[in-house]
Amino acid sequence: MFETILLAANDNQGSGIEFMNAPSNVFGGLIGYALFVASVWGMFVKSGRSGWTAIIPIYNWYVIVKIAGFHGAATILYFIPIVNIIFGWFVGWNIGKQYDKSTVFRIFGLILFQLIGFFILSYGSDRYRGQQLARG
């Protein structure tokens, strides 16, 4: 009987530790979101959209999908598990096309390390060529 009580006490210790880490998880999430907003702000401005739209949570992905050249309704694909990963690869690839980047940059900068790639596109000397590609 005493062993059962000790086992039950050991099982409950994990929930207290998880609760104590909650503030740091929230703080880490806010930092991550701030980095994401900072990384896409310049891309939005270069593509002729308002930079402040990077702050609005789901709308910012809608704008990214539009920058990539997809229909805005394709943003729904980000809500489907597994499909969202594959669709994110297509979006990264097409954003690279819109900025006339090389295949290597598209793979490493916009598919594998997307946040870094977004920073490079936002604050580098790259120009958005989306309208030129649609016309020509």
Side-chain angles (χ1 to χ4, degrees):
M1 167 116 169
F2 187 66
E3 295 169 4
T4 308
I5 294 172
L6 287 177
L7 288 175
N10 286 336
D11 288 343
N12 290 332
Q13 287 178 348
S15 62
I17 293 171
E18 291 171 11
F19 178 74
M20 292 179 67
N21 287 334
S24 62
N25 291 339
V26 170
F27 187 66
L30 289 174
I31 289 174
Y33 191 71
L35 286 172
F36 170 74
V37 167
S39 72
V40 296
W41 191 293
M43 273 184 9
F44 287 11
V45 171
K46 285 183 180 181
S47 67
R49 292 160 172 87
S50 298
W52 65 266
T53 57
I55 299 170
I56 304 170
I58 294 172
Y59 184 67
N60 56 15
W61 280 104
Y62 169 81
V63 173
I64 289 172
V65 167
K66 294 292 283 183
I67 289 173
F70 291 106
H71 191 274
T75 307
I76 294 171
L77 295 175
Y78 276 117
F79 294 102
I80 304 171
I82 309 293
V83 173
N84 58 4
I85 296 169
I86 297 166
F87 182 63
W89 295 341
F90 283 110
V91 168
W93 183 266
N94 284 338
I95 286 176
K97 274 187 185 177
Q98 302 296 342
Y99 282 90
D100 200 26
K101 298 304 281 183
S102 69
T103 302
V104 173
F105 183 82
R106 288 184 207 169
I107 292 171
F108 288 103
L110 295 172
I111 294 175
L112 296 176
F113 304 106
Q114 202 168 55
L115 186 68
I116 296 169
F118 284 170
F119 268 114
I120 292 170
L121 290 179
S122 291
Y123 302 109
S125 61
D126 303 304
R127 290 185 0 193
Y128 179 71
R129 302 169 197 261
Q131 287 80 19
Q132 295 172 357
L133 292 173
R135 282 187 239 138

